[in-house]
Structures are given as C-alpha cells and as structure tokens.
Amino acid sequence: MLQLDRVTARYDRLTALKDISLTIGQGEMVGVFGHNGAGKTTLLKCGVGAHKHIEGVITVNGERIIPGEVHRNVRIGIGFVPQGRNVFGDLSVEQNLKIAGLMHDPDYVSQVYKLFPILEQRRRQRAGTLSGGQQQMLALGMALMTKPKILLLDEPTTGLAPIIVKEVLRTLREINRTLSTTIVIVEQNVRATLKVVQRAIVLKSGRLVFDGPSDELGRQEDLWALF
Ligand code: ATP
C-alpha cells in the first residue's frame, strides 16, 4: 500500500504539489492524468524518494519513503520507470536485464521473458537497435527485475505508434493481474489508459481535482474541462 499524507513538494519557490493525501491499495492499477506542469512527474518522484524537498509523509506498506534515498527506497519494493528510453544501448537485452537484477535475483530474467517473449527472442541483440516499443518493454522488464510491489511509470507510451501503445498498456495490465503488482501510471494517452486502469487521478496545478473509478472519469462529458 502506497500512502501519501499531506504531501507538498517544491522546486525553490514553485510549489509543484499541494497538500496531496491519497492511498493506493495493494494490487490497484491507477492512472494519473493532467496537463503539462500539473505535477504528475513530481508525484511519481516523491513516491520513489527522488524529490528531496517535500513536506508530509509517504509510506509503502507502513515503511517510510525517505526523500533523497532512492536506492534504499527501491529496496523496500518500489520500481520506477522514468520518462524516456532508459536502457544501456550498447549492451544486449539480457545484459540490461541482468544488470537491473544484480542486487536482487538475476535468474528472475526467465519470469520477465514469460511476460515479454519478444525480449527472449532478442536476448542477444544490442538494446540500442531495438524499436521504440521494444526498448520500452525492456525498460519495463528492467524495473520488474527488482521484483517491485509497486511500479511507478512516467508516460511509458510516449512516442509509440497507437498499436504499440495498446500492447504496452495490455502488458502492464497483465503484470498487474498475474504478479499483483500495484501500478501507478502517468499518461498523456488518457482514453487508451482509462481502458486498462481501474482508478483515475487528475492533477491540476499541483492539486488533486479527481480521484475515482476510471469509468466514471471516462463517462464525464466535460472530461477535458477537468484538466
Ligand atoms: P509534464 O506532463 O510536462 O511532464 P507534469 O504534470 O509531469 O508535466 P511536473 O514535471 O511534475 O509536471 O512539473 C510540475 C511543476 O514543477 C511545473 O510547473 C514544472 O515547471 C516544475 N518543475 C518540474 N521540475 C522542475 C525542476 N527540476 N526545477 C524547477 N521546476 C520544476
């Protein structure tokens, strides 16, 4: 369970998140939406402890997330996939996965291959030569190598063709179902994401303006007015 209790986050004088309280239960899959600058990335960074300047308390299963101590926070079960293709382009697919799992269980690679058969087919290929969608799958696979209880993803479908967007989102749903991993996904592809998440959160200028079932948000005729 991920819990934020009255979290405010700042960059110098700019307040990026204002007094956010929310609880995300084990096994939930949640979409986080909002315009550019709404505070979505900052929310994820706070979750993994990558943002130092916060007020309030963040816990994972009762354990406190310590701002600035990402390595330690990852060890209590948080996986974070930042925006962009975060793979080592000169290394093979399998080397990327094994490096990601070095501090955990490098043999878990076989489990990751079950979720991403394409990565097994390309295991010896240099990661930099994979397509954009495949690199995103690899970045996801690398995060899974730490066996996270909670996976935080920042716009994993950016720049991908619509059919690949669907595939990435479908795979995330499968990870959520089969491994019971809690998933929090920041997305600009709102409609496609609403189809796979159960719950939606909307941020506007650092404040929580919607938190409810995804179909409720999807039904709102003035969906975009919320943003
Ligand atoms: P986007 O969709 O563009 O990624 P976002 O909703 O993820 O936007 P954040 O990146 O969390 O929003 O930014 C929230 C606010 O904090 C914005 O006003 C942004 O300009 C500001 N901000 C983000 N990162 C920094 C930084 N490193 N230094 C100063 N201000 C920042």
Side-chain angles (χ1 to χ4, degrees):
M1 186 167 79
L2 174 68
Q3 202 155 17
L4 278 76
D5 187 18
R6 307 207 61 179
V7 171
T8 291
R10 294 194 174 84
Y11 298 96
D12 297 318
R13 269 189 235 142
L14 186 138
T15 305
L17 286 181
K18 295 174 189 140
D19 203 22
I20 304 281
S21 292
L22 58 91
T23 300
I24 295 174
Q26 184 59 43
E28 273 196 273
M29 184 157 175
V30 182
V32 180
F33 310 109
H35 272 317
N36 289 347
K40 306 177 300 295
T41 297
T42 306
L43 183 76
L44 295 189
K45 280 192 191 165
C46 288
V48 72
H51 188 72
K52 274 191 185 170
H53 308 287
I54 72 160
E55 287 160 27
V57 174
I58 303 174
T59 55
V60 167
N61 297 334
E63 276 198 73
R64 202 160 167 166
I65 293 295
I66 303 177
E69 295 193 12
V70 177
H71 281 92
R72 177 257 176 209
N73 298 329
V74 166
R75 256 182 258 129
I76 65 172
I78 305 185
F80 179 43
V81 183
Q83 225 172 334
R85 311 272 146 72
N86 298 286
V87 301
F88 299 106
D90 288 337
L91 302 183
S92 72
V93 166
E94 190 150 302
Q95 282 169 331
N96 269 276
L97 290 169
K98 291 210 160 163
I99 284 172
L102 215 53
M103 308 293 281
H104 302 266
D105 173 12
D107 292 338
Y108 194 64
V109 72
S110 56
Q111 183 64 35
V112 171
Y113 284 150
K114 277 190 202 148
L115 284 158
F116 302 101
I118 185 73
L119 295 184
E120 184 163 27
Q121 284 168 30
R122 307 280 169 119
R123 62 199 289 177
R124 295 188 211 291
Q125 190 171 325
R126 249 182 2 102
T129 64
L130 295 173
S131 70
Q134 289 162 358
Q135 287 191 28
Q136 193 53 260
M137 301 284 189
L138 179 55
L140 282 176
M142 288 167 73
L144 286 179
M145 287 298 292
T146 65
K147 301 188 191 173
K149 296 186 200 84
I150 302 176
L151 197 49
L152 308 176
L153 302 126
D154 198 359
E155 301 192 15
T157 71
T158 299
L160 302 180
I163 189 158
I164 311 294
V165 169
K166 278 193 188 157
E167 199 182 325
V168 170
L169 291 172
R170 206 174 40 235
T171 309
L172 285 171
R173 185 78 185 101
E174 198 186 331
I175 290 166
N176 170 251
R177 274 211 203 104
T178 56
L179 305 177
S180 301
T181 310
T182 307
I183 293 185
V184 183
I185 174 173
V186 164
E187 260 302 335
Q188 298 286 357
N189 282 310
V190 181
R191 291 283 179 202
T193 307
L194 283 176
K195 288 191 183 131
V196 296
V197 296
Q198 302 120 19
R199 175 175 164 193
I201 284 171
V202 181
L203 292 176
K204 186 175 187 176
S205 304
R207 290 190 190 278
L208 202 65
V209 293
F210 180 93
D211 182 1
S214 50
D215 49 359
E216 192 181 308
L217 183 66
R219 274 198 309 271
Q220 295 222 4
E221 282 175 22
D222 59 347
L223 174 67
W224 309 110
L226 256 181
F227 284 45

Short mmCIF file of all heavy atoms in Angstrom, two decimals, residues 11 14 16 35-42 155 188, ligand 1:
data_model
loop_
_atom_site.label_atom_id
_atom_site.label_comp_id
_atom_site.label_asym_id
_atom_site.label_seq_id
_atom_site.Cartn_x
_atom_site.Cartn_y
_atom_site.Cartn_z
N TYR A 11 9.94 23.16 -5.87
CA TYR A 11 11.22 23.43 -6.55
C TYR A 11 11.51 24.89 -6.24
O TYR A 11 10.81 25.77 -6.77
CB TYR A 11 11.09 23.24 -8.06
CG TYR A 11 10.74 21.84 -8.49
CD1 TYR A 11 9.42 21.48 -8.75
CD2 TYR A 11 11.72 20.86 -8.65
CE1 TYR A 11 9.09 20.20 -9.16
CE2 TYR A 11 11.40 19.58 -9.06
CZ TYR A 11 10.08 19.26 -9.32
OH TYR A 11 9.76 17.98 -9.74
N LEU A 14 8.67 27.49 -6.35
CA LEU A 14 7.49 26.94 -7.03
C LEU A 14 6.94 25.71 -6.28
O LEU A 14 7.69 24.78 -5.97
CB LEU A 14 7.88 26.54 -8.45
CG LEU A 14 6.75 26.08 -9.36
CD1 LEU A 14 6.93 26.68 -10.75
CD2 LEU A 14 6.66 24.58 -9.43
N ALA A 16 4.98 22.52 -6.59
CA ALA A 16 4.54 21.63 -7.68
C ALA A 16 3.42 20.70 -7.24
O ALA A 16 2.60 20.28 -8.06
CB ALA A 16 5.73 20.82 -8.19
N HIS A 35 -2.65 18.17 -17.27
CA HIS A 35 -1.89 18.92 -18.26
C HIS A 35 -0.40 18.95 -17.95
O HIS A 35 0.00 18.62 -16.83
CB HIS A 35 -2.39 20.35 -18.33
CG HIS A 35 -3.53 20.53 -19.28
ND1 HIS A 35 -3.56 19.94 -20.52
CD2 HIS A 35 -4.70 21.22 -19.17
CE1 HIS A 35 -4.68 20.25 -21.13
NE2 HIS A 35 -5.39 21.03 -20.33
N ASN A 36 0.38 19.41 -18.92
CA ASN A 36 1.81 19.62 -18.67
C ASN A 36 1.99 20.54 -17.48
O ASN A 36 1.29 21.54 -17.38
CB ASN A 36 2.48 20.28 -19.88
CG ASN A 36 2.59 19.32 -21.05
OD1 ASN A 36 2.39 18.13 -20.90
ND2 ASN A 36 2.90 19.87 -22.21
N GLY A 37 2.89 20.16 -16.59
CA GLY A 37 3.17 21.01 -15.44
C GLY A 37 2.21 20.82 -14.28
O GLY A 37 2.31 21.52 -13.26
N ALA A 38 1.26 19.86 -14.41
CA ALA A 38 0.26 19.66 -13.34
C ALA A 38 0.87 19.06 -12.07
O ALA A 38 0.27 19.13 -11.00
CB ALA A 38 -0.86 18.77 -13.85
N GLY A 39 2.03 18.41 -12.22
CA GLY A 39 2.69 17.83 -11.05
C GLY A 39 2.76 16.31 -11.08
O GLY A 39 3.16 15.68 -10.10
N LYS A 40 2.44 15.71 -12.23
CA LYS A 40 2.37 14.25 -12.32
C LYS A 40 3.73 13.60 -12.08
O LYS A 40 3.87 12.67 -11.30
CB LYS A 40 1.83 13.82 -13.70
CG LYS A 40 0.50 14.46 -14.04
CD LYS A 40 0.00 14.09 -15.43
CE LYS A 40 0.90 14.47 -16.60
NZ LYS A 40 1.09 15.91 -16.82
N THR A 41 4.75 14.10 -12.80
CA THR A 41 6.09 13.53 -12.63
C THR A 41 6.59 13.73 -11.21
O THR A 41 7.19 12.84 -10.61
CB THR A 41 7.07 14.18 -13.64
OG1 THR A 41 6.62 13.87 -14.95
CG2 THR A 41 8.49 13.67 -13.47
N THR A 42 6.31 14.91 -10.67
CA THR A 42 6.75 15.20 -9.30
C THR A 42 6.11 14.20 -8.33
O THR A 42 6.76 13.73 -7.40
CB THR A 42 6.38 16.65 -8.92
OG1 THR A 42 6.94 17.51 -9.91
CG2 THR A 42 6.91 17.01 -7.55
N GLU A 155 4.79 8.15 -18.23
CA GLU A 155 4.49 8.21 -19.67
C GLU A 155 5.20 7.14 -20.49
O GLU A 155 5.98 7.45 -21.41
CB GLU A 155 4.81 9.61 -20.20
CG GLU A 155 4.00 10.67 -19.47
CD GLU A 155 4.04 12.05 -20.11
OE1 GLU A 155 4.46 12.15 -21.26
OE2 GLU A 155 3.64 13.01 -19.45
N GLN A 188 -0.33 10.56 -20.99
CA GLN A 188 -1.00 11.57 -21.82
C GLN A 188 -2.05 10.90 -22.71
O GLN A 188 -3.00 11.55 -23.14
CB GLN A 188 0.01 12.29 -22.73
CG GLN A 188 1.08 13.07 -22.01
CD GLN A 188 0.57 14.37 -21.39
OE1 GLN A 188 -0.59 14.73 -21.53
NE2 GLN A 188 1.45 15.06 -20.67
P1 ATP B 1 4.68 17.04 -17.91
O1 ATP B 1 3.46 16.36 -18.45
O2 ATP B 1 5.10 18.22 -18.73
O3 ATP B 1 5.80 16.11 -17.59
P2 ATP B 1 3.94 17.11 -15.11
O4 ATP B 1 2.47 17.12 -14.82
O5 ATP B 1 4.64 15.84 -15.00
O6 ATP B 1 4.20 17.76 -16.52
P3 ATP B 1 5.94 18.15 -13.34
O7 ATP B 1 7.04 17.79 -14.25
O8 ATP B 1 5.75 17.40 -12.10
O9 ATP B 1 4.55 18.20 -14.12
O10 ATP B 1 6.10 19.73 -13.01
C1 ATP B 1 5.30 20.40 -12.04
C2 ATP B 1 5.79 21.82 -11.94
O11 ATP B 1 7.11 21.84 -11.41
C3 ATP B 1 5.86 22.56 -13.28
O12 ATP B 1 5.49 23.90 -13.06
C4 ATP B 1 7.32 22.46 -13.66
O13 ATP B 1 7.72 23.56 -14.45
C5 ATP B 1 8.01 22.49 -12.30
N1 ATP B 1 9.27 21.72 -12.31
C6 ATP B 1 9.41 20.41 -12.61
N2 ATP B 1 10.69 20.03 -12.50
C7 ATP B 1 11.37 21.12 -12.09
C8 ATP B 1 12.75 21.37 -11.80
N3 ATP B 1 13.67 20.40 -11.88
N4 ATP B 1 13.09 22.63 -11.42
C9 ATP B 1 12.18 23.61 -11.32
N5 ATP B 1 10.86 23.44 -11.59
C10 ATP B 1 10.47 22.22 -11.97
#
